[in-house]
């Protein structure tokens, strides 16, 4: 049984190496790609040490014993920083390097402690006087793992909110890749905390590498160059911190019915400029019907209007009393209702007409239509006494 497990350990090493080569050979690597490449480099080394332990080769090279301890302190920071940069939530500066201080400190301690330990002590043949130090390190590894899984979940939650700001259709924007990474890391740390078996830990780590490889290769853009995408801006660009576009936050205690707060009172955008942008936006929608593009983003419209995406978002919020997502889907619903009135449309199904108007899924169409009209599409058609083609 153990030999079968060893094969999986070695397989994890080669899969890690293969994924690392794919990432390094990827053209036009983003910062997130570079972080993932560095992560897989250290994963290869870590997996090699795991395989070395699995085959009980410690006595052949006792100088390597103990050097596996700094690596677990790297995986949490790499996961967090990868998600941070992939989702565009990073901040400028050198502070991101602070996440690696625990790994550097542990490596420094190992450089000092390990030369002082005889081989028998490293192999566990005799008790080690440094045992309390190693227990502290193992505890630190557990704390690090849990903390960074929680921080990564927070980033994922915040990114999910950011997606709704920029995209007109969100149903097919999957966050599975990030969920797999965080979930896999969570399972590993559960094994670390609740199971004392080293074999179980090595087995789960190897399976996690296989898991990442399989889903990462299937996910377009992770290990290969993504196809041309719609114009998407980082959340920091959509909601910048510059005073010119700052938004004043108010609480319920600050709100007075007699003197209501203006949502964008700190913005330098004048009413005249906002009206001009809104008129241009309305004309663009009427002439080009951009809402029919299922992949339309806030960045696409901002680029077409030659305005900052945060300014456009502000104009839509103030002039339409709506978010970008709701604004576009209202236009799609109105276009659908107009399309229903055309006799030639009765030979098509409701869903095919919805796709023609820019919706990209039945779920999204039904949800938005009922939200806007208070009726389901089929109930609306029945109320209008229109005979439509049955859904296939």
């Amino acid at each position: 049984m153990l030999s079968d497990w060893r094969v999986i350990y070695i397989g994890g090493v080669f899969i890690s190496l293969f994924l690392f080569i794919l990432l390094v050979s990827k053209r036009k690597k983003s910062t997130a790609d570079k972080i993932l490449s560095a992560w897989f480099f250290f994963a290869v080394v870590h997996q090699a040490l795991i395989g070395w332990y699995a085959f009980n080769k410690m006595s052949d090279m006792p100088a390597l014993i103990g050097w596996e301890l700094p690596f677990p302190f790297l995986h949490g920071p790499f996961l967090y920083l990868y998600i941070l940069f992939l989702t565009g939530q990073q901040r400028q500066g050198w502070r991101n390097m602070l996440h690696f201080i625990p790994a550097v400190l542990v490596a420094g301690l190992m450089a000092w402690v390990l030369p002082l330990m005889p081989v028998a002590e490293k192999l566990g043949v005799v008790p080690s006087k440094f045992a309390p130090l190693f227990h502290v390190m193992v505890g630190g590894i557990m704390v690090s793992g849990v903390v960074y899984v929680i921080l990564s979940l927070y980033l994922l939650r915040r990114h999910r909110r950011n997606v709704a700001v920029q995209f007109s259709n969100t149903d097919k924007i999957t966050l599975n890749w990030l969920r797999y990474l965080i979930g896999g890391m969570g399972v590993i740390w559960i094994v670390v905390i609740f199971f004392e078996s080293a074999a179980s830990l090595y087995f789960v780590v190897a399976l996690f590498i296989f898991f990442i490889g399989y889903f990462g290769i299937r996910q377009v853009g992770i290990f290969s160059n993504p196809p041309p995408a719609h114009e998407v801006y980082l959340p920091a660009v959509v909601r910048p911190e510059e005073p010119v576009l700052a938004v004043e936050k108010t609480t319920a205690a600050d709100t007075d019915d007699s003197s209501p707060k203006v949502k964008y009172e700190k913005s330098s955008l004048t009413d005249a400029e906002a009206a001009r942008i809104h008129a241009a936006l309305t004309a663009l929608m009427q002439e080009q019907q951009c809402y029919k593009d299922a992949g339309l983003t806030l960045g696409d419209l901002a680029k077409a209007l030659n305005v900052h995406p945060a300014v456009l978002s502000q104009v839509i919020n103030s002039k339409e009393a709506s978010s970008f997502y709701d604004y576009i889907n209202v236009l799609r619903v109105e276009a659908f209702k107009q399309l229903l009135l055309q006799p030639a449309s009765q030979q098509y199904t409701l869903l095919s007409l919805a796709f023609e108007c820019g919706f990209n899924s039945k779920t999204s169409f039904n949800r938005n239509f009922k939200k806007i009209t208070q009726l389901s599409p089929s109930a609306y058609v029945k109320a209008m006494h229109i005979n439509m083609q049955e859904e296939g």
Side-chain angles (χ1 to χ4, degrees):
M1 180 67 178
L2 182 60
S3 61
D4 295 335
W5 284 27
R6 288 171 177 171
V7 170
I8 294 177
Y9 301 159
I10 299 302
V13 176
F14 285 103
I15 292 295
S16 297
L17 181 60
F18 172 68
L19 297 177
F20 171 71
I21 293 173
L22 285 181
L23 284 167
V24 171
S25 61
K26 182 178 177 180
R27 301 189 310 273
K28 298 180 180 179
K29 289 187 284 293
S30 65
T31 303
D33 292 329
K34 294 175 183 177
I35 292 172
L36 191 59
S37 299
W39 186 9
F40 270 100
F41 170 78
F42 287 105
V44 169
V45 179
H46 195 189
Q47 285 287 99
L49 286 173
I50 286 176
W52 179 63
Y53 273 99
F55 279 89
N56 296 317
K57 297 295 183 179
M58 294 86 74
S59 58
D60 295 342
M61 298 184 67
L64 293 179
I65 297 176
W67 281 108
E68 75 283 358
L69 285 174
F71 289 94
F73 288 97
L74 292 174
H75 299 312
F78 272 125
L79 171 67
Y80 175 79
L81 292 178
Y82 174 66
I83 296 175
L84 190 73
F85 279 83
L86 185 66
T87 59
Q89 301 181 59
Q90 74 277 7
R91 295 292 180 266
Q92 301 297 326
W94 48 269
R95 294 183 182 86
N96 291 324
M97 300 305 295
L98 297 177
H99 293 280
F100 297 104
I101 287 179
V104 173
L105 289 177
V106 171
L109 283 173
M110 291 298 98
W112 170 64
V113 169
L114 294 179
L116 301 177
M117 297 176 63
V119 174
E121 196 172 322
K122 290 182 178 180
L123 294 173
V125 177
V126 296
S128 173
K129 60 184 177 182
F130 295 105
L133 176 62
F134 290 124
H135 286 310
V136 171
M137 289 183 183
V138 172
I141 289 172
M142 295 179 184
V143 171
S144 173
V146 172
V147 167
Y148 277 102
V149 166
I150 293 173
L151 289 176
S152 299
L153 285 171
Y154 171 72
L155 288 180
L156 182 61
R157 180 185 176 187
R158 195 164 65 180
H159 178 57
R160 191 181 295 113
R161 294 199 303 266
N162 291 335
V163 164
V165 175
Q166 297 198 63
F167 292 85
S168 60
N169 270 314
T170 59
D171 284 53
K172 293 189 176 181
I173 298 175
T174 65
L175 303 175
N176 288 342
W177 167 245
L178 297 182
R179 292 193 186 101
Y180 294 151
L181 283 178
I182 298 172
M185 289 293 289
V187 170
I188 289 175
W189 292 117
I190 288 174
V191 173
V192 169
I193 294 172
F194 295 103
F195 297 89
E196 296 183 359
S197 170
S200 299
L201 173 60
Y202 299 161
F203 184 71
V204 171
V205 171
L207 288 182
F208 178 54
I209 296 297
F210 284 114
F211 187 76
I212 286 179
Y214 175 73
F215 285 102
I217 290 173
R218 290 186 61 187
Q219 181 85 23
V220 176
I222 302 300
F223 294 102
S224 60
N225 292 290
H230 287 267
E231 198 78 20
V232 179
Y233 290 83
L234 303 183
V237 174
V238 176
R239 291 193 300 274
E241 297 180 348
E242 290 84 357
V244 67
L245 291 172
V247 178
E248 181 172 0
K249 296 181 180 179
T250 61
T251 62
D254 296 328
T255 304
D256 186 340
D257 291 338
S258 61
S259 57
K261 292 284 186 179
V262 179
K263 185 177 182 181
Y264 295 101
E265 65 182 37
K266 285 189 177 181
S267 172
S268 64
L269 183 66
T270 63
D271 287 339
E273 180 65 10
R276 184 195 67 79
I277 295 173
H278 183 248
L281 173 64
T282 303
L284 181 68
M285 287 299 175
Q286 291 175 349
E287 296 169 5
Q288 299 187 20
Q289 299 181 328
C290 304
Y291 52 83
K292 290 187 176 181
D293 179 358
L296 184 69
T297 68
L298 178 68
D300 292 334
L301 282 185
K303 186 176 181 180
L305 295 169
N306 195 28
V307 298
H308 195 286
V311 171
L312 179 58
S313 178
Q314 177 179 332
V315 169
I316 294 174
N317 290 342
S318 60
K319 297 298 183 181
E320 295 288 340
S322 174
S323 67
F324 166 74
Y325 176 85
D326 288 335
Y327 169 68
I328 296 299
N329 282 295
V330 165
L331 292 176
R332 287 170 176 164
V333 168
E334 291 303 317
F336 174 84
K337 289 161 67 175
Q338 292 299 318
L339 203 55
L340 276 179
L341 299 178
Q342 300 179 15
S345 298
Q346 296 181 16
Q347 60 182 310
Y348 300 105
T349 63
L350 294 179
L351 190 57
S352 62
L353 295 182
F355 286 160
E356 176 68 22
C357 295
F359 292 103
N360 68 345
S361 73
K362 184 177 181 178
T363 302
S364 175
F365 169 55
N366 289 337
R367 182 180 65 248
N368 282 286
F369 192 92
K370 189 167 186 178
K371 177 182 177 181
I372 294 166
T373 66
Q374 310 304 313
L375 292 172
S376 67
S378 57
Y380 179 83
V381 168
K382 185 176 181 180
M384 296 293 292
H385 305 290
I386 300 175
N387 296 318
M388 296 294 299
Q389 182 78 24
E390 296 291 332
E391 298 285 346

